[in-house]
């Protein structure tokens, strides 16, 4: 009969108890050592393995799901032809031509963004004004530039007020909808 | 039916629909729990989004046009062979022959059979056409499902429900709207005139303070310019038992003219500009031109300092920059096309002109021949000169004005109407009008309709009014016919002006001998000015401005109770239902038998 696998909490408590027992009980430590040495070759996988020393944590990186990103690209193409704009060879056109088209793309992409997400500034001060960055500030919200030394609070000029998406609401997708199709090919009959 | 929890209002607009509701248990004299319903809809194939408005468009996709499940909605049982809302509008800009639009404008065209599948008007043979009635049912079904999805414990069929219709809708169009509601499973729906709904919305927003904003003797003019229709109403503030009372005293004629016509006119103007520069538009660019014209218009209206707005039509295909066409809309041109075309400064005696149809006509809908809304307004106020019982004036003088409709988001246009009204009033030695503040231009009809439902359940103030027309049937005189002249017609009043909901008119004594089993038609007339005629009044002569001929009415005495060919003597009786529709019956006094007179008949001469 395969041994039951204990849950995380049970494992946590067990590891905790074993840690002290291995540390202070030499006989137990010897048995644990033997068990560990043989674990890879002899011990059945179903047998819970005591983990007296937690292994170093693996690097914490994860894949961002592509679905929402592709959907947003599709939306900006549909509403504002962003992909057409980015993919077109600009070198052939005058600034006036590019400017005229950019206006349409800008106008409609902004409209599309505004209706699907709420943008807010991270700092409400005017750019260029002096601001104070307190101790314990969030480094993901505030990037320090230039002469970064000493201890907070830091005083400096606000060069970019930052952007934060406060709310994002993308359309719901029907099952089987292929978000990789950013713009279908069009054939006029 | 369980006790209703909400009073719900539906705005069934020509270009957009909206739903709002008052939560009854949370509302009292001082606080109104009023909210709009977000309407989930397909916005692109396979994508569903909740939006405050449902565009009144319906698209009939080719069976192989869209991926499977592309029209999935959050609720079960949604249609898979058609889509309504934003996706329909967007798909229709590229495949116009599968798009149903302006169903509401078709619903009030007596010249067509509104139950017959005729939309889209110009389409391909394999497109399964819909009737204007069926399209309306689809919009209502979608809104009902959206409501039920959001309120699983309080289905819409069990709530108080009011649906907005133009004040100028004729009895047949009202009846068809009520029928559409019944077909959508919303039998309890009642109708509310849109300008009245706008005023109810204002009353709801102003709460108790409205009593300070108007006074006894005020005449409130509601100017409602929607996407497809313009609608005027006059509401009088009176005193009754020491309290203020509101009474709707007049409504205007049906004017098929709205914001869409303005955008279309600008688009045609810009098309001319582009072509004058030697730039050729393809069909797809023509379709986006209206949108670009609207954007440029809004930019100029919102930014009074700018003298021109760029108009760029991106190239077709993926060549965005290369194929782009560029021009600009100058402020002077905008003012000329919009202000001078639709809101010219005219005097109070001006009347709409009849002239050959120009660029405004699209696909067979009989749009107003004169696009000048100010001239239609002058005609309305002139026609209603006697509405307050004072026949000395050449036009009725409003003291306050309430704007409604997205067109009036532009201050320029509100100011133009106000300026024109003030000039007329100054010419008659009267005070300028006050603009009632706080109007909610786009959401007011749905919100006001919801508020009306709450008022009907015994709260707040109710606008009195009843029917805005007296109705007549035409009787051919028994005089010997004069060769070369049509038989003399007299008009018998069967429904007096101002009949309230749930009342019946007295039965006029005139009797008609009808042949059993054969359909009999009557000429049918309405008058928005003859307020004193009682049921039974016979008119020998009238002027064209007094009586408007409506679509014929028809009755068939069913052969199941009588022998075919027998002649039965009947009298005609009118009633206004609780729903707000006119009902006519042919009654045989001796037997007590009643037959329904159909208001919605097809003109056999042209249909």
């Amino acid at each position: 009969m395969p041994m039951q696998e204990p849950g995380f909490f049970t494992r946590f408590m067990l590891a905790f108890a074993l840690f002290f027992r291995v540390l202070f009980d030499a006989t137990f430590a010897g048995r644990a050592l033997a068990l560990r040495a043989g674990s890879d070759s002899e011990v059945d996988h179903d047998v819970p393995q005591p983990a007296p020393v937690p292994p170093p944590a693996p690097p914490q990186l994860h894949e961002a799901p592509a679905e929402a990103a592709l959907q947003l690209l599709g939306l900006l193409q549909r509403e504002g032809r962003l992909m057409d704009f980015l993919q077109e060879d600009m070198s052939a056109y005058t600034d006036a031509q590019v400017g005229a088209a950019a206006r349409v793309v800008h106008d409609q992409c902004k409209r599309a963004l505004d209706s699907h997400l709420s943008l807010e500034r991270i700092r409400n001060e005017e750019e260029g004004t002096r601001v104070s960055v307190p101790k314990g500030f969030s480094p993901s919200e505030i990037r320090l530039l230039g002469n970064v030394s000493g201890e907070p609070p830091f005083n400096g000029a606000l060069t970019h007020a930052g952007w934060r998406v406060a709310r994002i609401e993308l359309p719901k997708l029907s099952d089987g909808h292929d978000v990789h199709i950013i713009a279908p090919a069009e054939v006029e009959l | 039916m369980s006790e209703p929890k909400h009073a719900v209002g539906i705005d069934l607009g020509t270009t957009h629909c909206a739903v709002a509701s008052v939560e009854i248990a949370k509302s009292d004299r001082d606080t109104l729990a009023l909210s709009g319903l977000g309407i989930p809809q397909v916005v692109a194939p396979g994508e569903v989004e909740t939006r405050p408005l449902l565009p009144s468009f319906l698209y009939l996709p080719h069976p192989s046009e869209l991926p499977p499940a592309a029209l999935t909605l959050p609720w079960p049982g949604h249609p898979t062979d058609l889509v309504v809302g934003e996706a329909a509008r967007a798909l229709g800009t590229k495949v116009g022959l599968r798009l149903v639009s302006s169903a509401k404008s078709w619903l009030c065209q007596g010249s067509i059979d509104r139950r017959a599948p005729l939309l889209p008007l110009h389409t391909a043979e394999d497109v399964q056409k819909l009737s204007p009635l069926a399209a309306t049912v689809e919009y209502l079904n979608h809104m009902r499902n959206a409501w039920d999805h959001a309120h699983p414990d309080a289905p819409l069929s069990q709530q108080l429900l009011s649906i907005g219709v133009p004040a100028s809708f004729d009895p047949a169009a009202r009846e068809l709207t009520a029928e559409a509601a019944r077909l959508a499973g919303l039998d309890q729906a009642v109708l509310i005139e849109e300008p009245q709904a706008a005023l109810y919305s204002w009353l709801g927003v102003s709460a108790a303070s409205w009593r300070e904003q108007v006074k006894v003797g005020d005449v409130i003019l509601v100017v409602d310019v929607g996407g497809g229709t313009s609608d005027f109403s006059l509401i009088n503030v009176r005193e009754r038992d020491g309290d203020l009372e509101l009474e709707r005293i007049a409504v205007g004629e049906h004017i098929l003219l709205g914001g869409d016509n303005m955008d279309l006119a600008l688009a045609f103007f810009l098309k001319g500009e582009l072509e004058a520069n030697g730039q050729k538009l393809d069909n797809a660019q023509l379709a986006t031109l209206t949108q670009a014209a609207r954007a440029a218009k809004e930019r100029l209206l919102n930014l009074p300092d700018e003298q021109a707005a760029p108009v760029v039509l991106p190239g077709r295909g993926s060549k965005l920059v290369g194929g782009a066409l560029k021009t600009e809309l100058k402020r002077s041109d905008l003012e000329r096309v919009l202000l001078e075309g639709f809101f010219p400064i005219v005097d109070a005696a001006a009347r709409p002109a009849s002239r050959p149809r120009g660029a405004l006509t699209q696909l067979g809908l009989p749009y107003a021949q004169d696009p000048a809304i100010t001239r239609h307004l002058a005609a309305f106020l002139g026609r209603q000169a006697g509405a307050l019982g004072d026949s000395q004036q050449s036009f009725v003088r409003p003291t306050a004005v309430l704007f409604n409709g997205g067109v009036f988001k532009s201050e320029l246009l509100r100011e133009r109407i106000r300026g024109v009204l003030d000039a007329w009033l100054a010419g008659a030695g009267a005070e300028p009008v006050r603009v009632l503040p706080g109007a909610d231009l786009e959401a007011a009809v749905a919100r006001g309709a919801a508020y009306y439902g709450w008022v009907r359940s015994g709260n707040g103030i109710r606008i009195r009014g009843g029917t805005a027309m007296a109705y007549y049937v035409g009787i051919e005189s028994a005089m010997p016919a004069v060769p070369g002249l049509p038989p003399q017609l007299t008009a018998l009043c069967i429904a007096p002006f101002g009949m309230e909901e749930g009342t019946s008119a007295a039965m006029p004594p005139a009797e008609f001998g009808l042949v059993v089993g054969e359909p009999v038609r009557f000429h049918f007339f309405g008058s928005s000015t003859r307020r004193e005629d009682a049921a039974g009044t016979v008119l020998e002569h009238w002027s064209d401005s007094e009586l408007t001929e409506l679509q014929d009415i028809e009755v068939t005495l069913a052969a199941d109770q009588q022998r075919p060919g027998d002649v039965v003597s009947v009298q005609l009786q009118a009633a206004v239902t609780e729903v707000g529709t006119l009902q006519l019956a042919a009654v045989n006094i001796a037997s007590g038998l009643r037959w329904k007179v159909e208001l919605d008949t097809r003109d056999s001469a042209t249909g």
Side-chain angles (χ1 to χ4, degrees), chain A residues 81 88 116 171-172 174 186 188, chain B residues 48-49 94 315-317 321:
Chain A
R81 309 231 357 225
E88 198 163 0
H116 292 94
K172 293 190 172 62
S174 69
E186 295 181 343
E188 183 155 341
Chain B
V48 171
E49 199 168 280
K94 295 194 173 171
R316 212 180 172 191
V321 183

Side-chain angles (χ1 to χ4, degrees), chain A residues 99-114:
Chain A
R103 225 179 250 290
V104 180
V105 175
H106 173 267
D107 229 47
Q108 291 173 6
C109 284
K110 177 164 168 50
R111 204 176 291 213
L113 277 187
D114 286 349

Side-chain angles (χ1 to χ4, degrees), chain B residues 352-375:
Chain B
S354 294
R355 61 176 177 214
R357 296 179 194 283
L360 294 173
T361 307
Q362 197 190 29
L363 289 186
L365 271 174
Y367 285 104
Q369 294 193 12
D370 188 333
I373 287 173
T374 40
R375 273 197 281 273

Side-chain angles (χ1 to χ4, degrees), chain B residues 341-416:
Chain B
F342 292 91
F343 301 91
I345 297 174
V346 296
D347 63 38
R351 295 294 179 263
S354 294
R355 61 176 177 214
R357 296 179 194 283
L360 294 173
T361 307
Q362 197 190 29
L363 289 186
L365 271 174
Y367 285 104
Q369 294 193 12
D370 188 333
I373 287 173
T374 40
R375 273 197 281 273
H376 288 283
L377 184 57
F380 168 63
L381 296 179
R383 194 180 317 117
Q384 295 298 336
L388 290 161
D390 179 356
S391 56
Q392 299 304 306
Q393 299 173 350
S394 62
F395 67 96
V396 67
R397 298 162 188 184
T399 57
V401 61
L402 179 74
F403 290 109
N404 192 45
V407 165
F408 289 117
K409 278 194 287 189
S410 156
E411 196 190 341
L412 193 70
L413 301 185
R414 293 198 305 270
E415 282 306 310
R416 173 52 69 96

